[in-house]
Structure formats: structure tokens, C-alpha cells
């Protein structure tokens, strides 16, 4: 089983989603993931649907789950304030 994760702290939600999805995809190689979990910090909560769509377009997972949270955990850091999008595959 291959696992990948990436985070973007970019302020524009759609761009952050693209950056995180692309970085996670590089770690996966050519394989499409079975499951992708997308977490957005509170600053991006209103854009959760467009963030999910951007991630789905790039990674084409079998299942996509998304949530907004007060804090998110990325591969190397936890973000409790400020914008963040995390993609776990």
C-alpha cells in the first residue's frame, strides 16, 4: 500500500488544493488513489466544495472525503491558524 500526503498554506483555496494534490500525486506516481482525504483549515471552509473538486480532478480517487476543521495535520506540521489545505492519499 502506498501512502502520500501534502499540504499547501497558499491563501487562495483552489490554488492551495491544486498544489497539495499535485504534490501528493507526485509521491504516488502513476497510480490513482483508492481514498483521498482532504482537510481544510477554517479559512478555507466556505470553499470546501471547490477544493474537493480540484483535488478530485487531479487525483481521480475512487473515494474522496473532505472536512473543514479548526486545525489540520499535514505530513510535517500542524496548522491551527491561517489558511491550509491538506491532502492524504
Amino acid at each position: 500500500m502506498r501512502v502520500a500526503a501534502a499540504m499547501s498554506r497558499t491563501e487562495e483555496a483552489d490554488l492551495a488544493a491544486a498544489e497539495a494534490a499535485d504534490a501528493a500525486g507526485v509521491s504516488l506516481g502513476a497510480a490513482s488513489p483508492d481514498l483521498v482525504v482532504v482537510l481544510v483549515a477554517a479559512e478555507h471552509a466556505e470553499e470546501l466544495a471547490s477544493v474537493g473538486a480540484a483535488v478530485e480532478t487531479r487525483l481521480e480517487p475512487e473515494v474522496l472525503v473532505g472536512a473543514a476543521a479548526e486545525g489540520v495535520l499535514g505530513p510535517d506540521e500542524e496548522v491551527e491558524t491561517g489558511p491550509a489545505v491538506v491532502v492524504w492519499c
Side-chain angles (χ1 to χ4, degrees):
M1 176 190 323
R2 298 181 75 180
V3 176
M7 177 190 293
S8 174
R9 302 286 314 270
T10 300
E11 290 188 22
E12 184 181 326
D14 291 340
L15 181 56
E19 289 174 352
D22 290 347
V26 167
S27 295
L28 289 176
S32 291
D34 294 326
L35 172 66
V36 172
V37 177
V38 179
L39 303 172
V40 299
E43 286 78 0
H44 291 320
E46 291 183 13
E47 288 103 356
L48 182 57
S50 64
V51 166
V55 171
E56 185 172 32
T57 297
R58 283 173 162 69
L59 296 176
E60 300 178 342
E62 293 293 321
V63 177
L64 176 69
V65 178
E70 286 297 316
V72 296
L73 182 62
D76 297 317
E77 68 178 309
E78 177 184 0
V79 176
E80 294 183 5
T81 59
V85 173
V86 178
V87 174
W88 288 91
C89 305

